[in-house]
Amino acid sequence: MTDKDINSNKPPRRRREDFLPTTRDEMKALGWEEADIIIFSGDAYVDHPSFGAAVIGRVLQHAGYKVAIVPQPNWRDDLRDFRKLGRPRLFFGISPGAMDSMVNHYTANRRLRHDDAYTPGGRHGMRPDYPTIVYSRILKDLYPDVPVIAGGIEASLRRVAHYDYWQDRLRPSILLDAAADMIVYGMGERSVLEIAARLDKGIPVDDIRDVPQTVFLTDGSPASDDIVLASYEECLRDKRKQAANFRHVEEESNRYSGRVIRQSAMGKTVQINPMYPPMTEEELDASYDLPYTRMPHPRYKDKVIPAYEMIRHSVTMHRGCFGGCAFCTISAHQGKFISSRSRESILRDVKCITEMPDFKGYISDLGGPSANMYGMHGRDMTLCRKCSRPSCLHPKPCPNLDNDHRPILDIYRAADKVSGVKKSFIGSGVRYDLAMADNPDNNVREANRRYLEELIRCHVSGRLKVAPEHTSDTVLNCMRKPSFTLFRDFKRIFDRVNSEAGMSQQLIPYFISSHPACSEEDMAELAAITKDLDFQLEQVQDFTPTPMTVATEIYYTGYHPYTGEKVYTARTPQQKLAQRQFFFWYKSDQRAGIIAELRKMKRQDLIGKLFPAFRGNTPQGKESHKYSNRNNSKKHKSKY
């Protein structure tokens, strides 16, 4: 396929019949009396491959099934939204949302958010907390004999006993609270197709027990090589057992071929089948090449869906992430191994975007979970198939990892040549440590150097966001992130390229406070170091424990799952605020509190670095009145 062929795609359509039906009238217009599968979604219906309900719906439709979708049903009234399409021939699917419902609803301080990016107009309150539980219980009450299959981030990351930050307690697998017959975890195209095919053959859902990436309740005995975790009740009594459980779960999630995991809870046994091997290029292309309109359903008319606005002109090039960051859930959901789309499939998406009526010539993102992992894998895949290492980059890049950036450079250059494209940007996170890692091949080293220079020179829309996360090596080691010295090296490259090109782009670093292993003194030093580098931080986050991360297990148990050692973590609101305030040393109403904390630490040296007007313990000259009358009650909000 040539670049010229890319320009032959038809323009996108937005007629109602081009979408999955959402009403009885839309079903009748298609000549349907009933649907085979009905998906209930916690998000608005956007027919775009970045939205899970649309992907699963299109995959099932392509396989010949009649699929309908009910977006954001009202669970508070007489439940008419749950009745309006009737019963499906095969099953109900539950897609609670592209974002975890509790992260969507609440801040790191457990305060209710006032908007929802996945709802028209950003309106809050269009989905319940834990939609998997709420939707499944309603559907089972109304249609007790119809199978309910749950999927998505919420169920995926709660497939085993997990700590729930918002309730501050350990909860069993969500399957014990929900009324679903089965969970499909991770990226679920292959699992849901297999389940649909078996149900279509008349096989009862309770007899479907060997499909990968599924979770169900079982009465059977474990096989000899199954992993049997400490029970939910044992973990309630002993947090060390919960920490030990997590290590098994994470390692199996990161294996090329994992083992069955079983855990008893509340008198029942939960079985978690291992992941499928990573999708092939052909399989991933097939999923992304389905006839998405790439637009919100016409039912929303001109209402803005903020999450869609962020991705409407973007292209996802691959899945998976081998970074293994301690606070991230990507590998638990998408896997560690990278599945990449073909060049042709990506460029078809680019061309499709150029034909959107509002396209102005700029692709907002050519990315993925980590933008520059496209096409990467081990040099010797037989070694990868035996590996259970959670990160290919920490504590040092794996010597078997081929970090060749030439394929991704080729994509960038080809995308910029598509007719109608003025420029393509990289909006996803870039692992600069991956591009800066050594490679025995001189040609690859040179290509990786060019990648960073071309990224900075050609694909930054004024501000490049990267995530060093912290400045302390102790904290970074717990995070599974590289030393801050590497960020300094990258900043020098960024500044040099900007200077040579006569540009004044900004480097925007992202940092986290209150992460396990982080102390107030670590945050104080972070403030002084970033000030010395001329940063006034804005992209910051107070650590939020989410299910199925190393950091969350440390936060809950107090122990590191891999070492068994105790790890300090800020837990109380006061401890968290004491750390967070150091992000905002440049805010006038934060100074008094920061100075007081630094005095307690006996770090007068940092007072002088952050506030040069001070000499020792007292302010000088006319600054004295300003500092002595600070009101530290006002709290500053970050963008997140």
Side-chain angles (χ1 to χ4, degrees):
M1 182 173 178
T2 67
D3 291 343
K4 182 177 179 181
D5 295 326
I6 298 297
N7 296 322
S8 65
N9 276 19
K10 296 179 181 178
R13 305 158 296 175
R14 59 175 306 161
R15 299 173 300 169
R16 282 182 177 264
E17 55 265 39
D18 292 319
F19 293 79
L20 301 176
T22 65
T23 65
R24 176 66 70 176
D25 287 343
E26 290 173 9
M27 285 174 56
K28 288 182 178 177
L30 295 171
W32 300 3
E33 288 299 320
E34 67 172 0
D36 295 325
I37 298 144
I38 301 174
I39 298 172
F40 283 81
S41 172
D43 292 337
Y45 173 29
V46 179
D47 191 42
H48 189 284
S50 291
F51 290 76
V55 173
I56 296 301
R58 287 297 189 186
V59 165
L60 288 165
Q61 179 194 52
H62 182 71
Y65 300 104
K66 298 174 182 176
V67 185
I69 183 168
V70 180
Q72 300 188 310
N74 189 340
W75 74 100
R76 298 186 179 99
D77 60 4
D78 61 1
L79 307 182
R80 67 186 67 182
D81 282 349
F82 292 87
R83 294 186 176 96
K84 66 181 182 181
L85 301 187
R87 69 174 58 228
R89 185 174 66 88
L90 296 179
F91 67 88
F92 287 113
I94 295 177
S95 176
M99 184 178 183
D100 184 271
S101 68
M102 303 307 284
V103 177
N104 181 287
H105 285 173
Y106 301 96
T107 68
N109 292 324
R110 299 188 179 97
R111 293 178 179 170
L112 189 66
R113 299 186 192 272
H114 300 295
D115 56 3
D116 183 340
Y118 293 87
T119 299
R123 180 182 174 187
H124 177 78
M126 294 300 288
R127 83 184 81 212
D129 291 352
Y130 310 108
T132 303
I133 297 172
V134 175
Y135 293 172
S136 65
R137 288 179 176 177
I138 291 171
L139 290 169
K140 274 299 183 183
D141 282 344
L142 295 175
Y143 307 98
D145 58 331
V146 178
V148 175
I149 311 298
I153 287 285
E154 181 172 88
S156 181
L157 301 183
R158 290 171 169 81
R159 59 189 185 256
V160 69
H162 58 280
Y163 171 70
D164 189 292
Y165 173 69
W166 298 273
Q167 295 187 352
D168 193 23
R169 69 183 180 95
L170 192 71
R171 295 184 63 153
S173 166
I174 197 171
L175 204 52
L176 274 298
D177 290 318
D181 295 279
M182 187 181 292
I183 289 171
V184 170
Y185 72 89
M187 309 303 278
E189 294 104 316
R190 290 175 289 183
S191 299
V192 79
L193 279 174
E194 182 62 27
I195 292 167
R198 297 197 192 187
L199 291 173
D200 201 18
K201 293 176 181 177
I203 299 173
V205 68
D206 289 342
D207 291 343
I208 301 174
R209 291 292 179 262
D210 60 341
V211 176
Q213 288 181 218
T214 58
V215 186
F216 48 86
L217 300 178
T218 181
D219 295 325
S221 300
S224 59
D225 61 343
D226 289 355
I227 294 175
V228 179
L229 302 177
S231 71
Y232 169 62
E233 288 78 12
E234 288 178 292
C235 293
L236 284 173
R237 292 190 296 267
D238 186 349
K239 290 183 177 180
R240 285 181 181 270
K241 291 186 176 181
Q242 172 64 19
N245 276 359
F246 176 80
R247 178 172 181 173
H248 288 301
V249 173
E250 183 179 50
E251 286 182 339
E252 294 308 309
S253 297
N254 285 319
R255 288 185 186 275
Y256 197 92
S257 300
R259 291 175 288 177
V260 169
I261 295 175
R262 295 164 65 99
Q263 183 180 40
S264 63
M266 302 164 64
K268 299 179 180 180
T269 300
V270 176
Q271 178 166 320
I272 304 171
N273 285 345
M275 282 188 168
Y276 276 101
M279 292 179 100
T280 65
E281 180 179 274
E282 293 74 20
E283 288 173 327
L284 197 58
D285 282 358
S287 182
Y288 280 91
D289 288 345
L290 294 171
Y292 303 98
T293 64
R294 299 186 67 91
M295 295 182 177
H297 190 277
R299 63 190 282 146
Y300 305 120
K301 297 183 180 178
D302 296 323
K303 292 182 180 178
V304 173
I305 300 172
Y308 170 67
E309 296 302 310
M310 292 177 63
I311 55 87
R312 66 190 305 165
H313 297 147
S314 70
V315 179
T316 299
M317 304 203 306
H318 60 280
R319 292 179 180 174
C321 180
F322 50 74
C325 297
F327 47 81
C328 181
T329 61
I330 291 172
S331 66
H333 187 70
Q334 295 193 12
K336 178 178 73 173
F337 296 96
I338 305 301
S339 296
S340 299
R341 298 170 64 186
S342 69
R343 180 180 189 271
E344 292 76 16
S345 178
I346 292 168
L347 295 181
R348 279 194 291 270
D349 262 7
V350 171
K351 182 55 186 172
C352 184
I353 291 171
T354 68
E355 294 173 340
M356 296 176 70
D358 65 335
F359 183 67
K360 305 299 182 184
Y362 300 97
I363 301 294
S364 62
D365 187 24
L366 291 171
S370 290
N372 55 322
M373 290 185 181
Y374 175 81
M376 292 189 185
H377 49 75
R379 293 185 184 86
D380 182 350
M381 287 302 295
T382 60
L383 296 178
C384 293
R385 285 177 168 84
K386 300 174 184 176
C387 179
S388 61
R389 178 176 165 174
S391 173
C392 301
L393 295 176
H394 184 271
K396 293 181 179 179
C398 175
N400 188 45
L401 175 64
D402 186 0
N403 64 334
D404 187 352
H405 283 65
R406 286 177 293 187
I408 198 169
L409 272 175
D410 176 63
I411 296 290
Y412 290 177
R413 293 165 182 168
D416 282 349
K417 291 179 182 178
V418 173
S419 176
V421 174
K422 296 177 182 177
K423 200 169 189 180
S424 61
F425 297 117
I426 312 306
S428 301
V430 172
R431 291 294 301 247
Y432 54 84
D433 56 327
L434 176 60
M436 295 168 72
D438 193 24
N439 191 292
D441 188 323
N442 289 333
N443 293 325
V444 172
R445 286 202 299 273
E446 174 61 21
N448 294 354
R449 183 193 63 78
R450 287 200 309 272
Y451 171 80
L452 288 176
E453 293 191 352
E454 287 193 28
L455 170 73
I456 296 165
R457 192 186 303 268
C458 305
H459 302 287
V460 175
S461 58
R463 292 156 62 95
L464 177 62
K465 297 178 183 178
V466 294
E469 310 293 5
H470 215 284
T471 57
S472 161
D473 281 347
T474 298
V475 180
L476 288 167
N477 185 55
C478 186
M479 290 178 163
R480 295 177 178 161
K481 295 285 286 187
S483 171
F484 191 71
T485 57
L486 205 61
F487 173 76
R488 292 179 184 273
D489 294 340
F490 176 71
K491 184 178 184 300
R492 282 191 282 271
I493 296 171
F494 183 87
D495 291 342
R496 174 181 60 79
V497 174
N498 266 275
S499 176
E500 292 172 354
M503 300 185 297
S504 56
Q505 298 179 131
Q506 289 181 287
L507 186 62
I508 309 297
Y510 183 96
F511 291 94
I512 298 177
S513 61
S514 301
H515 191 277
C518 181
S519 67
E520 287 179 41
E521 190 166 358
D522 291 324
M523 290 302 299
E525 291 179 348
L526 182 153
I529 290 169
T530 54
K531 184 195 176 197
D532 188 56
L533 292 171
D534 294 325
F535 289 116
Q536 287 191 359
L537 303 181
E538 55 181 79
Q539 299 291 319
V540 298
Q541 167 77 48
D542 189 33
F543 169 66
T544 304
T546 53
M548 208 166 283
T549 70
V550 177
T552 296
E553 297 303 322
I554 296 172
Y555 177 92
Y556 169 65
T557 68
Y559 300 98
H560 197 293
Y562 284 78
T563 66
E565 297 176 352
K566 285 188 175 183
V567 180
Y568 168 78
T569 306
R571 289 185 57 89
T572 69
Q574 294 77 17
Q575 290 170 337
K576 287 174 170 286
L577 183 59
Q579 291 201 20
R580 182 179 174 79
Q581 67 181 338
F582 285 101
F583 283 140
F584 306 109
W585 58 267
Y586 56 90
K587 300 285 189 179
S588 60
D589 59 353
Q590 298 292 305
R591 290 175 188 165
I594 290 174
I595 290 169
E597 290 299 320
L598 290 174
R599 284 173 177 162
K600 289 179 185 178
M601 297 176 198
K602 303 186 184 305
R603 293 300 303 268
Q604 280 82 358
D605 60 315
L606 294 182
I607 295 176
K609 289 181 179 180
L610 292 174
F611 311 112
F614 274 73
R615 297 292 183 270
N617 289 331
T618 58
Q620 303 296 308
K622 62 183 180 181
E623 294 292 314
S624 178
H625 175 75
K626 250 198 309 190
Y627 287 120
S628 62
N629 288 285
R630 287 287 169 224
N631 179 351
N632 197 38
S633 63
K634 185 177 180 182
K635 298 175 183 176
H636 289 274
K637 296 179 180 178
S638 73
K639 288 191 175 182
Y640 295 88

